[in-house]
Amino acid sequence: MIWVLLLLSLLLLLLLLPSYRVREGTAARNHSEENLRLYEERTEELQASDMDDEEKSALQLELDREFLANAEPETASGQAQSGIKRWPLAFAMVAVVVAGTLLFYQFWGASVELKATGLLDKAAQAELTKPEREQLISYLQQAADKNPQNQEWYYLYGRMLTVNSEFDRAAKVFADILVTLPEEAVEDRAVTLTLLAQAKFFAADQKADEETYNLLKESLELQPDNRQTQGLAGMLAFELNKYQAAIEHWKAVWLSLPDSPEAQMLAQGIQRAAERLQEQGETADLSWMKRASIKVLVDLSEEARQAVKADDTVFVLARAVSGPPMPLAARKLTVADLPQVITLSDAQAMAPGMNISSYDQLTLVARVSASGQPQPQSGDWQALKTPVSNQEESMIRLVVDEQIP
């Protein structure tokens, strides 16, 4: 539509300009012809007069100068006026194009994506009213239908339907997305399977069934570390009397959590599942529910103590021997605090799923940092011990005695 307006405006401009040029050229020619006629009449009268040749030459020269003086301003004036007349027309045409473009853009709904984005931004800051939610759903549906290759709009549409408790419609959207995803899109398929299972579960008034549970198991085969999927799978497994499976699902979530109220609530669910197993004559091994903690005595060698300052920072941390470099637990002290016994546990986890209970073998590090930064630098003093079991019951002694070159 925008291009049509531009082309029509350009065509109109091309049609108008020649007519202005013709009118301006005609007026200029008429004026010049009148000047020429008067000049010729006066010249003839001068030649027919009784003046001598010298007087005639002087007057003829004066007539020539007057003719030229009249002709040049007219030409310049015609050109200036022509330019002046064209500018208002040009500005008017630009104004028409801009106004028309915006009006048609709004009228034909070309800004649906912008409207949807605006409401999504608002939803991130405050709760939308019911009419706003319904309007957003409408915009997202239009944007999704308009951009079928961009699945992000379909995901947003399905999620908004879920938020609006329209679970049946949401399930259909996620099912349609799943059909279009290739097998190699592992992460996208896993997420979509979870969203589909979630929508179907709530559409059934939170009643578990094998079909929905199987969707979650399929998702976990693709993405086993997804806590949301593991948690929901545990709920469905429990409702389906699959108590051992529920424990396994919740175990994965519990081990990824720090010692927190959320972990304590999950532990209660695990205990209930274990009790149901006992009622069925089975037993559940819950020894893994003991939170890993390691006691560490941190001290300095005499050489190190003489080289550092009392207010230098001391970092004590535990890392996985085989795993990400991010610390699983960390404490911050000063040289003046040493020697000191500390406990490293899941309570000091720095990220979900990154705690010492999740990794059997650990590396313990104590480092004195003159800069106060946790990253090791030349001149820092440190102690390192590896491997250490996360179930170690005896106290580990770390004596800072090595200087980093």
Side-chain angles (χ1 to χ4, degrees):
M1 180 56 62
I2 294 175
W3 288 109
V4 172
L5 282 172
L6 291 175
L7 290 174
L8 288 175
S9 300
L10 180 60
L11 179 59
L12 181 60
L13 187 62
L14 292 175
L15 291 174
L16 287 174
L17 284 180
S19 65
Y20 270 82
R21 288 173 180 169
V22 169
R23 289 196 297 270
E24 290 169 4
T26 301
R29 284 197 301 272
N30 292 338
H31 198 78
S32 298
E33 289 173 359
E34 179 65 17
N35 286 338
L36 179 59
R37 186 182 64 79
L38 293 173
Y39 170 77
E40 290 175 346
E41 286 180 357
R42 291 179 181 178
T43 300
E44 290 176 358
E45 291 174 358
L46 180 61
Q47 295 301 325
S49 68
D50 297 329
M51 298 179 185
D52 57 27
D53 293 338
E54 185 176 349
E55 290 178 338
K56 288 182 180 180
S57 296
L59 290 175
Q60 183 65 52
L61 180 60
E62 185 66 23
L63 283 175
D64 293 343
R65 288 176 178 173
E66 184 180 355
F67 175 78
L68 292 174
N70 289 334
E72 289 175 357
E74 285 299 328
T75 302
S77 175
Q79 292 174 347
Q81 290 180 5
S82 174
I84 292 172
K85 290 178 180 177
R86 289 194 188 104
W87 280 110
L89 174 64
F91 282 122
M93 294 303 299
V94 170
V96 170
V97 170
V98 172
T101 299
L102 292 176
L103 287 174
F104 280 113
Y105 191 85
Q106 186 76 13
F107 181 78
W108 260 276
S111 59
V112 166
E113 295 90 341
L114 294 177
K115 293 176 181 177
T117 303
L119 281 176
L120 287 171
D121 291 341
K122 183 177 180 180
Q125 301 175 5
E127 184 177 356
L128 297 180
T129 63
K130 183 177 180 181
E132 286 176 329
R133 290 198 306 270
E134 293 175 351
Q135 188 67 72
L136 177 55
I137 289 173
S138 175
Y139 289 153
L140 291 173
Q141 182 179 13
Q142 294 177 57
D145 293 340
K146 185 179 174 184
N147 304 279
Q149 302 304 319
N150 188 347
Q151 291 181 336
E152 185 64 26
W153 289 114
Y154 283 103
Y155 277 112
L156 291 170
Y157 175 42
R159 287 177 182 273
M160 197 60 214
L161 287 171
T162 302
V163 171
N164 210 40
S165 301
E166 300 182 52
F167 303 117
D168 286 322
R169 292 178 62 189
K172 184 179 185 307
V173 170
F174 293 129
D176 291 342
I177 294 174
L178 186 63
V179 173
T180 66
L181 293 175
E183 293 295 331
E184 56 270 19
V186 175
E187 185 175 349
D188 290 341
R189 289 187 64 85
V191 170
T192 307
L193 283 164
T194 298
L195 292 172
L196 174 58
Q198 185 182 50
K200 291 176 70 66
F201 177 63
F202 285 105
D205 293 328
Q206 301 185 42
K207 295 179 181 178
D209 58 63
E210 290 289 345
E211 179 184 356
T212 304
Y213 180 54
N214 288 334
L215 289 173
L216 293 171
K217 290 199 296 182
E218 186 179 350
S219 175
L220 290 171
E221 290 176 1
L222 300 174
Q223 199 175 44
D225 296 332
N226 190 307
R227 291 194 302 161
Q228 179 187 3
T229 307
Q230 289 282 15
L232 184 57
M235 290 175 57
L236 268 68
F238 189 94
E239 294 298 324
L240 293 171
N241 301 325
K242 301 177 185 291
Y243 301 117
Q244 186 59 53
I247 291 173
E248 293 302 318
H249 289 306
W250 287 337
K251 174 183 178 180
V253 180
W254 188 86
L255 289 175
S256 70
L257 295 173
D259 191 6
S260 61
E262 182 182 3
Q264 294 171 10
M265 290 181 60
L266 186 59
Q268 295 176 8
I270 294 171
Q271 291 288 354
R272 286 198 299 271
E275 292 170 1
R276 296 291 179 88
L277 274 179
Q278 290 178 349
E279 293 173 1
Q280 295 177 349
E282 301 181 38
T283 59
D285 180 12
L286 301 182
S287 59
W288 50 267
M289 291 191 70
K290 180 182 178 182
R291 287 287 182 183
S293 63
I294 301 175
K295 288 187 176 182
V296 183
L297 170 61
V298 185
D299 201 355
L300 292 170
S301 68
E302 286 301 322
E303 182 183 7
R305 190 176 294 277
Q306 293 177 6
V308 299
K309 299 177 181 178
D311 59 352
D312 283 348
T313 303
V314 180
F315 293 100
V316 185
L317 51 92
R319 288 196 183 98
V321 171
S322 299
M326 178 183 292
L328 305 176
R331 288 284 303 274
K332 185 177 179 180
L333 309 169
T334 65
V335 169
D337 297 326
L338 304 182
Q340 185 172 147
V341 176
I342 64 170
T343 300
L344 296 178
S345 68
D346 292 349
Q348 293 124 19
M350 302 178 68
M354 297 293 295
N355 53 48
I356 60 178
S357 293
S358 301
Y359 295 88
D360 296 335
Q361 298 295 313
L362 308 173
T363 296
L364 303 183
V365 179
R367 181 182 304 112
V368 180
S369 171
S371 65
Q373 300 300 315
Q375 294 80 12
Q377 299 182 20
S378 177
D380 288 350
W381 289 80
Q382 71 174 6
L384 184 147
K385 188 173 183 63
T386 188
V388 176
S389 171
N390 68 347
Q391 299 298 324
E392 181 65 52
E393 296 182 357
S394 60
M395 184 181 298
I396 304 298
R397 191 165 184 262
L398 284 177
V399 179
V400 177
D401 58 0
E402 177 186 357
Q403 188 173 28
I404 299 175

